[in-house]
Amino acid sequence: MPLDESTVPASDISPSELIAADTGSEWWRTAVIYQVYPRSFADSDGDGMGDLPGITSRLSALADLGVDAVWLSPFYTSPQRDAGYDVADYCDVDPRFGTLADFDALRAKATELGLRLVVDLVPNHSSSDHRWFQEALAAGPGSTERARYLFRDGTGADGELPPNNWQSVFGGEAWTRITEADGTPGQWYLHLFDSSQPDFDWQNPWVREQFLDILRFWLDRGVDGFRVDVAHGMIKKPGLPDYTPPADSGSMGGGLEEGATPPYWAQDGVHEIYRSWRALLDTYAGDRILVAEAWVEPLSKLANWVRPDEMHQAFNFTYLESGWSAPSIKRVIDASLEVFSSVGAPSTWVLSNHDVVRHASRLGLTADNPQGAGIGPRSPGLPDRAVGLARARAASAVMLALPGSAYLYQGEELGLPEAIDLPDEARQDPTWFRTNGERYGRDGCRVPIPWEAASPAYGFNTSGESWLPQPDDWAPYARDSQTGKPASTLELYRLALALRAEFDLGSGSVEWLDGYGADVVAFRNGVVTVIANTGTVPVELPIGDELLATVELDGPALPGDATVWVRSA
Ligand code: NOJ
Ligand code: MG
């Protein structure tokens, strides 16, 4: 993808700031951050839904794996119409997940284990159950309460048509018409996601004040940072003009065409919000961070989210989408290192999260379904499991050798595949409902993870309940099936993280090595040489001691779909 340097306004950054930022040794510059999806990590009370005490009880497994920090997806009060990304109270814990005291216990346990703790912040929209929205409905058109959200009159003779043509990321119209208190058909409100997720009006200073208070609440409770949901969507273009996106825009509404900025994504006004948040975080001791979930391309534009006075990191979804192809992986690595360092930020790397097809399946999809935006039993081009797993192990071994900060999603260290065969009636993602089953959505990557091969619900709990059914062939993926087995994916991750720490790869650099051919990613980071073969023809290995290999090597050649780390002289 071409880089557009002009979108990084270098003049905004003074050289002294850049140097200071560049040489920083803050923990997050090199951290490996593990995403816990609370619904599906560990369930202490057996109701089939993971919870905070469950996470606390299993946290030592993550310290043992060797990660530096944990990011928790939302556990706040919520009707769970979008799995908690529909928040009804930002400063409390949903009873399904526990209590604030349970959060404090989790926080304390993380500290004891030496793990940082990042929480999710969902500022683009609230739940329609939130008191602020309910008050807005009751207060009527023109009220200060309605001004918290994006209410507009409809078009057409009687206001029966939506205010504009915007579509929800989850499918269908991005507007819903309400019934006013007197029973008449009323105004419409904007929801870029589900109709239960009304968008705030971030031009309203009242909204800004509420969120500064929410940040303070969690900072005072000792969190090390926030992953900021939809950090590209909070400001909408004035006038809310019609817009028709290109057919292939990404699953989270990303994939911005160069030059075409949708009126609801990546508007310049978002940056002053993040500057005010950064200023608040900077008043707290101890390197607290903001991480942008911003589906913004090209990377040079995304770099604006991590300028020295804005956020600390942004998820590198361009890397996630680079596929299992050496030229594309190398291009994205080069671009990432260049654009993020130009603003003094570390690059991040990510291959999986709760919104995309798990990379042990995604990287095995065939050409019929290259994107893998939600797969199910009737999808074309379904992956071969062994191929997908081999590529996932090889891709993870590339990612964990790169300088910067890497994000892991729970279960990828077990090599978990996407749960493809979920029955239709079990699915819960609003995408599935809003597209009448045309798009499977994200349930397949959200199934509760296996801990113990022989226990009920694979040790997710003791009751055997599970909010999404677990496939019956997951015993070999369970943590206890893999522990201590050198060939397992779990031990591969553990080794990679230990070597990453030992050789300080997170603060290293990438020096490309030539001569391995177009299908090979070959580079040195310090004394570690990494060779990844994305093709089918075996490649000759360099001389040096083998540190790690994603396949058992049989002679001096590296087969396809495999990665090796060698200690160079
Ligand atoms: C991104 C989150 O990761 C996703 O799960 C959620 O559905 C949307 N934002 C809306 O909050
Ligand atoms: Mg539970």
Side-chain angles (χ1 to χ4, degrees):
M1 149 186 343
L3 290 178
D4 177 5
E5 293 306 320
S6 63
T7 56
V8 181
S11 57
D12 282 8
I13 310 151
S14 78
S16 59
E17 273 175 322
L18 255 185
I19 290 161
D22 235 346
T23 55
S25 57
E26 300 97 333
W27 66 273
W28 45 270
R29 292 185 173 276
T30 58
V32 176
I33 303 179
Y34 182 103
Q35 179 186 1
V36 166
Y37 193 66
R39 297 171 69 95
S40 301
F41 189 72
D43 173 25
S44 72
D45 61 3
D47 66 350
M49 176 74 66
D51 44 48
L52 299 185
I55 298 169
T56 306
S57 74
R58 292 285 195 184
L59 211 50
S60 62
L62 303 186
D64 194 46
L65 179 62
V67 303
D68 302 295
V70 169
W71 147 38
L72 295 177
S73 277
F75 49 81
Y76 314 109
T77 313
S78 161
Q80 302 287 316
R81 302 251 173 71
D82 184 25
Y85 284 92
D86 48 326
V87 180
D89 184 345
Y90 289 90
C91 297
D92 207 349
V93 175
D94 193 281
R96 294 175 186 85
F97 297 125
T99 62
L100 280 170
D102 292 330
F103 175 82
D104 293 340
L106 197 170
R107 164 72 279 184
K109 183 72 183 178
T111 306
E112 188 190 313
L113 292 167
L115 296 169
R116 309 260 178 176
L117 189 63
V118 172
V119 297
D120 222 300
L121 183 77
V122 190
N124 178 69
H125 46 263
S126 71
S127 162
S128 51
D129 284 7
H130 199 292
R131 177 171 57 82
W132 297 336
F133 189 75
Q134 290 300 317
E135 288 169 356
L137 291 179
S143 60
T144 52
E145 288 84 353
R146 287 243 168 136
R148 299 164 177 171
Y149 294 89
L150 288 160
F151 282 91
R152 293 290 182 276
D153 292 333
T155 54
D158 297 309
E160 74 282 12
L161 299 174
N164 69 23
N165 72 346
W166 297 359
Q167 297 291 298
S168 154
V169 172
F170 293 159
E173 282 173 354
W175 295 91
T176 291
R177 192 173 197 187
I178 64 159
T179 303
E180 300 293 352
D182 64 4
T184 57
Q187 288 195 297
W188 298 70
Y189 65 89
L190 179 71
H191 50 87
L192 292 180
F193 295 89
D194 188 53
S195 57
S196 65
Q197 294 166 298
D199 283 48
F200 284 112
D201 184 354
W202 272 91
Q203 306 287 6
N204 182 342
W206 183 89
V207 171
R208 296 185 185 216
E209 276 166 36
Q210 306 315 303
F211 273 88
L212 286 170
D213 283 347
I214 293 163
L215 288 169
R216 282 189 201 99
F217 179 88
W218 291 104
L219 289 165
D220 291 342
R221 260 196 139 83
V223 304
D224 293 299
F226 302 90
R227 175 267 191 192
V228 180
D229 191 60
V230 201
H232 55 318
M234 291 150 63
I235 294 285
K236 281 75 182 178
K237 191 168 183 169
L240 312 182
D242 277 352
Y243 176 76
T244 305
D248 62 346
S249 23
S251 55
M252 273 294 129
L256 299 188
E257 297 268 293
E258 214 172 342
T261 303
Y264 38 81
W265 299 142
Q267 299 294 302
D268 287 343
V270 295
H271 298 292
E272 71 183 40
I273 301 171
Y274 305 140
R275 290 193 182 103
S276 74
W277 292 4
R278 176 63 177 262
L280 174 66
L281 262 66
D282 285 347
T283 67
Y284 281 80
D287 289 346
R288 320 284 183 114
I289 64 167
L290 295 166
V291 184
E293 190 239 4
W295 291 79
V296 171
E297 286 185 333
L299 281 164
S300 55
K301 185 158 188 177
L302 180 61
N304 287 349
W305 270 248
V306 289
R307 288 176 288 194
D309 59 349
E310 297 194 33
M311 299 209 186
H312 302 75
Q313 294 184 342
F315 287 102
N316 190 340
F317 295 126
T318 309
Y319 185 71
L320 185 151
E321 289 175 339
S322 63
W324 184 235
S325 139
S328 144
I329 293 169
K330 285 159 72 174
R331 210 165 39 236
V332 179
I333 292 173
D334 265 340
S336 305
L337 294 174
E338 184 185 335
V339 302
F340 288 117
S341 72
S342 77
V343 290
S347 185
T348 65
W349 316 101
V350 61
L351 290 167
S352 277
N353 65 33
H354 65 295
D355 289 327
V356 299
V357 174
R358 283 186 176 278
H359 69 284
S361 297
R362 195 180 69 240
L363 297 178
L365 291 168
T366 71
D368 301 334
N369 188 1
Q371 294 306 321
I375 54 175
R378 297 179 293 278
S379 298
L382 286 174
D384 177 287
R385 208 180 257 198
V387 171
L389 180 59
R391 290 180 181 168
R393 289 164 56 95
S396 299
V398 171
M399 174 172 82
L400 292 173
L402 292 170
S405 180
Y407 279 82
L408 307 181
Y409 174 51
Q410 65 178 40
E412 71 169 82
E413 79 280 22
L414 305 173
L416 268 197
E418 187 84 353
I420 295 170
D421 292 319
L422 288 177
D424 288 359
E425 57 282 6
R427 293 191 180 269
Q428 305 205 15
D429 186 345
T431 310
W432 166 257
F433 298 104
R434 292 184 63 87
T435 62
N436 295 319
E438 198 179 300
R439 278 154 57 188
Y440 281 107
R442 304 159 292 173
D443 292 314
C445 64
R446 298 176 173 182
V447 172
I449 60 171
W451 294 88
E452 296 152 8
S455 300
Y458 301 114
F460 169 61
N461 55 25
T462 52
S463 68
E465 295 292 314
S466 176
W467 70 278
L468 283 173
Q470 297 168 298
D472 52 20
D473 58 356
W474 269 16
Y477 297 101
R479 197 166 302 253
D480 71 348
S481 305
Q482 301 195 35
T483 303
K485 296 201 180 129
S488 71
T489 302
L490 178 64
E491 295 301 343
L492 173 71
Y493 269 70
R494 204 197 308 273
L495 177 61
L497 291 174
L499 293 169
R500 179 184 168 85
E502 181 183 343
F503 295 108
D504 213 2
L505 301 181
S507 49
S509 58
V510 168
E511 183 196 330
W512 295 116
L513 302 175
D514 295 329
Y516 286 93
D519 288 335
V520 177
V521 179
F523 64 91
R524 266 184 82 142
N525 182 353
V527 296
V528 177
T529 293
V530 177
I531 312 285
N533 186 358
T534 70
T536 51
V537 180
V539 295
E540 200 180 320
L541 286 170
I543 299 192
D545 293 334
E546 180 191 311
L547 292 168
L548 166 157
T550 65
V551 290
E552 202 176 332
L553 293 175
D554 183 20
L558 181 71
D561 295 342
T563 296
V564 69
W565 294 10
V566 169
R567 185 179 181 145
S568 324

